[in-house]
Amino acid sequence: LAYWGAPEPCSDAADRALRAALEIQRILRARREAAADDLDSWLRIGIGLHCGLGLVGHVGSRSYRDYNLVGDSVNTTARVEGQTKNYAASILATGEFISALTESPAHLLVDRVQVKGKAKASELHAVFEPFSDALALACQEYRMVFEQYTAGDFSAAISGFERLALDPSDTISTSAKLLAVRCRDLASRPPE
């Protein structure tokens, strides 16, 4: 857990968090490519990014104290981090986080999900770096297919997501496979 904006407020907390997440992923990617040992070759971590209010301060007793952050935003961030495995994304950010940035990174809205403990769905955006021309084209196609899905055109979305399931990007292909399964289910039992 890392956070910005406490104990001193800062207006660019989201930007700082994104820079840290990107740097962590750059270092891990470099270590995997160098493959100094067996651990480096398979080590991957997912990072969840969210912004919101939290309660920060000293927690504990006289014998043990810890400076910590608690609250709904912390829980949401943890749930988003847990979703990185489902979408094969190294960095997933909520819509609130993306909106708080002063400069938008290369990202793709991969899904809207209701994470555990939340009544409202959260947007999940995969953040990409590096961002190639081929990835940009795949993201553009994913956006179009995702629009078909949200419009309720499940049969068109199924074929689009099945095409995208063959994309070389793990995030695009894994997300597309997940949504293709969902669209098949929704096509067989359409929502009211």
Side-chain angles (χ1 to χ4, degrees):
L1 171 67
Y3 52 90
W4 285 261
E8 297 296 322
C10 62
S11 60
D12 64 343
D15 296 313
R16 292 176 187 217
L18 179 62
R19 283 195 304 269
L22 291 171
E23 185 62 20
I24 289 167
Q25 292 300 344
R26 274 188 216 111
I27 291 169
L28 285 173
R29 192 169 41 254
R31 289 188 64 121
R32 278 193 308 271
E33 289 168 3
D37 60 40
D38 288 341
L39 178 66
D40 291 334
S41 64
W42 62 264
L43 182 63
R44 290 184 177 29
I45 65 167
I47 298 173
L49 299 171
H50 178 64
C51 66
L53 299 176
L55 182 61
V56 65
H58 291 282
V59 179
S61 65
R62 289 182 190 184
S63 61
Y64 175 77
R65 268 197 213 178
D66 189 21
Y67 188 77
N68 212 337
L69 176 70
V70 295
D72 186 54
S73 292
V74 177
N75 296 336
T76 299
T77 307
R79 303 290 189 244
V80 170
E81 182 275 327
Q83 292 294 321
T84 60
K85 296 175 202 82
N86 296 334
Y87 298 90
S90 56
I91 301 172
L92 272 182
T94 62
E96 294 91 345
F97 183 86
I98 296 293
S99 296
L101 293 167
T102 57
E103 194 172 311
S104 185
H107 66 91
L108 173 66
L109 171 63
V110 291
D111 206 354
R112 287 186 186 93
V113 297
Q114 186 174 342
V115 296
K116 184 178 175 184
K118 300 291 275 184
K120 185 178 152 194
S122 296
E123 288 185 348
L124 297 180
H125 295 259
V127 177
F128 297 105
E129 189 180 276
F131 193 65
S132 66
D133 290 340
L135 184 55
L137 288 172
C139 287
Q140 183 178 0
E141 184 178 355
Y142 192 99
R143 285 184 191 100
M144 291 187 310
V145 175
F146 194 81
E147 284 179 22
Q148 293 170 330
Y149 158 67
T150 57
D153 188 357
F154 303 122
S155 58
I158 291 168
S159 62
F161 283 131
E162 286 174 345
R163 268 192 324 275
L164 286 164
L166 304 173
D167 193 82
S169 163
D170 285 343
T171 303
I172 299 283
S173 63
T174 303
S175 301
K177 287 173 192 169
L178 189 134
L179 285 164
V181 169
R182 188 182 305 155
C183 284
R184 277 190 220 95
D185 185 47
L186 289 168
S188 67
R189 291 179 283 153
E192 294 178 15

